[in-house]
Amino acid sequence: MRSLLMRSPVVVAACWIGAYIFITLLPLVILLVYPAPVGRGFWIDFSVALGFIALAMMALQFSLTARINRIEASYGIDIILQFHRYISLVAFALVLIHPLILFVVQPETLQLLNFFTAPWRAKMAVLGTLALIALVVTTIWRQKLKIPYEPWRTLHGVLAVLTVGLGLGHAIAVGNYLGLFWKAVLWTAIALAALWLLVYVRLVKPFFMLKKPYLVEEVRPEHGNVWTLALRPRGHEGIRFDPGQFAWITLEISPFRMREHPFSMSSNGDNPERIEFSIKALGDFTKTIKDVKPGTKAFLDGPYGVFTTERYEDSAGFVLIAGGIGITPMMSILVTQAERKAERKDERPYLLIYASKTWEDVTFSEELDKLKEKLDLTIVHVLREPPENWSGEKGYVDKELLERYIPKRRATRQYFICAAPKMMEQVELALHQLDVPPTNIHMEHFNLV
Ligand SMILES: Cc1cc2nc3c(=O)[nH]c(=O)nc-3n(C[C@H](O)[C@H](O)[C@H](O)COP(=O)(O)OP(=O)(O)OC[C@H]3O[C@@H](n4cnc5c(N)ncnc54)[C@H](O)[C@@H]3O)c2cc1C
């Protein structure tokens, strides 16, 4: 009973939240248990408490982005990154409020802002806050500031380490609340854990990836300026994955270089011998896929993600809504189910609503048609610019269109959406308006930042 409970995704997810809150508040609990220095007054203690909470939150940010499988498997990368963003803003606000309270309550502390005369404990606070401001600005306005993704990622890591390192240095140097040896030990342990996560992501993970290389077996053109990259594991068994999941790919270069890109697998999840990714040529990296030669080395970090029908054994069927390259996870779901169907006697119906610009852009049009022979699959193509003789759906996937196709008993199905951000937003809203329960709607965003 106990182990069953522990395996329930809801219980596991709740445990992670509990652990997060516990670690964030632990330094405060310790401050309460151990008497704080006397005579400093409520507002100063309150301001310090905010500073401690912010520091713990920022240190924990490393665990959110370290791609720890167990945490990822409970929520999915979308939700984790969303949480990471919101928490950064909360921590940022606390970091700013912390000195503001001090400046109001003890105006003489304003002198600490004079960088040249201030002691090191104050210098570290100022530098840490500036690093945090730079981190927040370059993240929220990355695209407006025209910072390319790769340099941004490096800058983000450096600023994060600086912020936490300087914050911790400030807290230890102030000393009032960390004077006791074991409180300093606690904070050093939190900082070391954050550092270990960094080492894990930068060195340990790439090391294990290096030991399990793949070779490019084929690069195949598809409709819609998409290229399918087929990989074969070399000297190991490859990975099994739940259809709909994704992995981070490094091509040609060493995984230590950290120039990896996330892509959903588009092939059968039960065939680790040949793993396929279908990639739309859109930017610097994706435009090079067509020139990749068979035999090129590749490395995979994955599988990740919770965008999979596998989690919904009880669902009476599935509605898959794709736009453009958002078809890749759906393709994997359908191909895998088609192969498994006979073996599992799974007769559940699939409805695929697939939006493309023109008929020529429809990636996998022939393959999807063939899958109808193997699966109870209905495909509704929606074209924005249909050919003259087109009798199918045209325009956008809106409420009226969805109403024509999704089952009347909405809650009997699980709904999966993967498309451009605007289409995802509109489809999600339309599904809400059509009384689809929010817990039955699952989304995969291809633009993480
Ligand atoms: C979970 C997931 C699954 C995806 N599956 C597919 C798929 O099956 N097929 C497909 O064609 N695309 C997929 N993508 C999108 C794909 O990862 C990006 O299009 C690609 O990384 C862009 O790289 P680029 O250098 O060609 O483009 P650029 O023009 O350099 O970048 C365009 C945008 O892509 C994002 N990006 C760029 N580099 C990275 C990176 N290293 N890591 C993360 N994001 C980056 C940034 O937001 C950037 O602004 C997926 C994305 C995610 C998050």
Side-chain angles (χ1 to χ4, degrees):
M1 172 70 188
R2 194 171 155 265
S3 65
L4 253 183
L5 206 65
M6 284 316 289
R7 256 180 271 150
S8 147
V10 179
V11 174
V12 175
C15 286
W16 283 117
I17 294 176
Y20 183 87
I21 295 174
F22 176 74
I23 298 176
T24 312
L25 296 183
L26 185 64
L28 270 194
V29 174
I30 289 169
L31 283 180
L32 284 179
V33 172
Y34 254 81
V38 280
R40 291 170 56 97
F42 168 80
W43 283 108
I44 293 187
D45 284 345
F46 180 64
S47 143
V48 173
L50 295 186
F52 275 125
I53 294 178
L55 191 54
M57 280 176 159
M58 290 187 300
L60 278 174
Q61 292 286 44
F62 289 95
S63 65
L64 297 177
T65 51
R67 289 191 224 146
I68 298 170
N69 290 48
R70 286 183 185 193
I71 303 182
E72 226 272 340
S74 299
Y75 304 97
I77 195 152
D78 272 19
I79 292 182
I80 290 180
L81 288 185
Q82 197 73 342
F83 184 69
H84 173 72
R85 277 177 216 127
Y86 289 142
I87 284 297
S88 320
L89 295 179
V90 175
F92 183 49
L94 297 186
V95 165
L96 296 183
I97 297 171
H98 161 64
L100 283 180
I101 294 178
L102 289 184
F103 296 152
V104 172
V105 179
Q106 290 182 335
E108 64 275 17
T109 52
L110 273 168
Q111 288 169 15
L112 295 173
L113 288 181
N114 184 341
F115 197 77
F116 299 102
T117 55
W120 267 104
R121 60 175 195 279
K123 281 185 182 146
M124 283 194 277
V126 171
L127 290 174
T129 309
L130 289 177
L132 182 59
I133 292 173
L135 189 142
V136 170
V137 169
T138 51
T139 303
I140 296 182
W141 291 288
R142 178 180 75 85
Q143 280 170 349
K144 281 212 172 109
L145 293 169
K146 297 202 169 37
I147 308 175
Y149 180 84
E150 304 286 356
W152 167 81
R153 201 173 157 195
T154 310
L155 179 73
H156 197 71
V158 171
L159 290 173
V161 171
L162 277 177
T163 305
V164 174
L166 289 163
L168 186 69
H170 163 71
I172 290 177
V174 170
N176 275 339
Y177 291 79
L178 292 174
L180 280 173
F181 172 71
W182 66 277
K183 285 184 198 168
V185 168
L186 171 90
W187 275 101
T188 312
I190 291 181
L192 285 180
L195 195 68
W196 158 246
L197 285 172
L198 206 70
V199 172
Y200 171 74
V201 171
R202 293 265 156 187
L203 299 174
V204 179
K205 246 189 185 189
F207 174 76
F208 285 112
M209 283 162 71
L210 204 60
K211 294 201 146 207
K212 294 193 169 176
Y214 291 76
L215 289 185
V216 173
E217 193 166 70
E218 187 190 3
V219 180
R220 194 173 67 234
E222 311 279 3
H223 299 299
N225 202 16
V226 171
W227 298 80
T228 291
L229 185 77
L231 304 182
R232 185 167 288 278
R234 192 186 179 194
H236 60 100
E237 287 179 349
I239 46 164
R240 273 176 194 280
F241 56 90
D242 289 339
Q245 287 192 296
F246 70 96
W248 295 80
I249 306 184
T250 305
L251 264 183
E252 284 190 277
I253 53 172
S254 154
F256 287 102
R257 299 269 301 273
M258 302 289 296
R259 295 180 74 97
E260 43 183 3
H261 290 256
F263 294 101
S264 302
M265 280 67 87
S266 55
S267 56
N268 180 354
D270 296 336
N271 183 8
E273 286 288 293
R274 186 180 160 103
I275 301 173
E276 294 189 351
F277 299 87
S278 300
I279 299 175
K280 190 162 180 90
L282 285 175
D284 296 351
F285 174 75
T286 46
K287 278 183 186 161
T288 63
I289 298 297
K290 65 177 188 328
D291 303 318
V292 173
K293 298 277 171 284
T296 303
K297 249 193 190 173
F299 301 95
L300 291 187
D301 178 18
Y304 291 106
V306 291
F307 188 75
T308 173
T309 45
E310 294 297 281
R311 291 163 66 100
Y312 306 96
E313 297 264 309
D314 298 339
S315 181
F318 299 98
V319 177
L320 313 178
I321 304 168
I325 193 60
I327 191 64
T328 53
M330 316 304 189
M331 190 64 191
S332 178
I333 289 170
L334 295 171
V335 171
T336 310
Q337 292 312 323
E339 292 304 318
R340 282 182 188 168
K341 193 181 163 194
E343 177 195 318
R344 294 200 182 175
K345 303 211 168 26
D346 186 348
E347 304 288 339
R348 290 180 295 175
Y350 288 81
L351 165 65
L352 171 67
I353 299 178
Y354 183 9
S356 309
K357 190 172 175 202
T358 67
W359 180 248
E360 288 70 41
D361 288 323
V362 182
T363 312
F364 304 132
S365 48
E366 294 90 355
E367 291 85 342
L368 286 167
D369 243 10
K370 282 207 190 99
L371 284 172
K372 285 202 229 160
E373 295 162 15
K374 294 190 175 175
L375 280 177
D376 179 351
L377 170 65
T378 308
I379 304 178
V380 179
H381 284 289
V382 185
L383 299 183
R384 270 204 321 284
E385 293 174 17
E388 270 182 18
N389 54 353
W390 179 254
S391 57
E393 294 289 351
K394 46 189 151 190
Y396 293 92
V397 180
D398 54 18
K399 186 177 155 211
E400 288 68 35
L401 185 142
L402 287 166
E403 201 165 16
R404 283 199 286 282
Y405 294 99
I406 65 173
K408 295 274 171 290
R409 291 170 60 212
R410 321 280 199 229
T412 58
R413 301 288 190 273
Q414 296 293 328
Y415 301 74
F416 290 81
I417 317 170
C418 185
K422 198 155 185 212
M423 173 170 164
M424 291 188 47
E425 248 173 60
Q426 285 167 355
V427 170
E428 188 190 17
L429 183 69
L431 290 177
H432 287 318
Q433 289 166 346
L434 291 168
D435 297 326
V436 172
T439 47
N440 290 32
I441 302 175
H442 315 283
M443 321 231 282
E444 186 78 300
H445 289 95
F446 276 5
N447 57 328
L448 290 180
V449 277

